[in-house]
Amino acid sequence: QVKLGESGGGSVQAGESLRLSCGGPPNLSRSTCLGWLRQAPGKEREGVAAILTHGSSTTYSDSVKGRFTISLDNDKRTLHLEMAGLKPEDTAQYYCGAAWTPDCLSMTSGQYNSWGQGTQVTVSS
């Protein structure tokens, strides 16, 4: 049984790692991409990483490239984000979302719809 929403956030020191997970509703298998977004206080929500729902292609924002890894379970409903080398600027509320547009790997603002409350990641220096 898939638990809906995000989990795995916490407070860590710079350089440490966290693994976020997200469970979604059954209709996610019809999406084109699943992704992770984050929103820091006073800032707009931004795309962090995305993966094709039926494929292997992934994309990452420049700020996390090389440090974060997105993955999707075979059930197409459980999404993960492995975060290594965390920095204070990674501090934010993290959300998972789904997109139904062909260009979903562009992570354009507004493409992704979220369903959970998010999970807080706090990185101290």
Side-chain angles (χ1 to χ4, degrees):
Q1 192 171 7
V2 176
K3 180 180 179 181
L4 298 181
E6 303 88 351
S7 62
S11 296
V12 297
Q13 297 287 319
E16 294 185 341
S17 301
L18 281 173
R19 184 175 192 253
L20 306 184
S21 295
C22 169
N27 69 341
L28 285 189
S29 62
R30 298 196 294 271
S31 64
T32 50
C33 282
L34 295 174
W36 286 95
L37 309 95
R38 68 185 181 187
Q39 187 165 19
K43 294 187 177 182
E44 292 187 355
R45 190 172 293 192
E46 62 172 349
V48 174
I51 185 169
L52 287 177
T53 306
H54 300 281
S56 58
S57 295
T58 59
T59 190
Y60 298 90
S61 65
D62 289 342
S63 60
V64 307
K65 198 172 296 181
R67 300 187 295 122
F68 290 12
T69 303
I70 189 171
S71 62
L72 178 63
D73 287 357
N74 288 336
D75 63 5
K76 306 301 183 184
R77 295 176 58 188
T78 309
L79 190 67
H80 306 282
L81 186 67
E82 298 278 357
M83 305 186 296
L86 283 162
K87 303 176 180 180
E89 51 264 43
D90 294 320
T91 295
Q93 189 82 353
Y94 284 71
Y95 302 86
C96 53
W100 280 265
T101 56
D103 62 341
C104 52
L105 289 178
S106 68
M107 294 196 295
T108 303
S109 176
Q111 278 187 321
Y112 286 78
N113 295 310
S114 301
W115 55 88
Q117 299 298 312
T119 187
Q120 177 67 33
V121 172
T122 303
V123 185
S124 55
S125 57

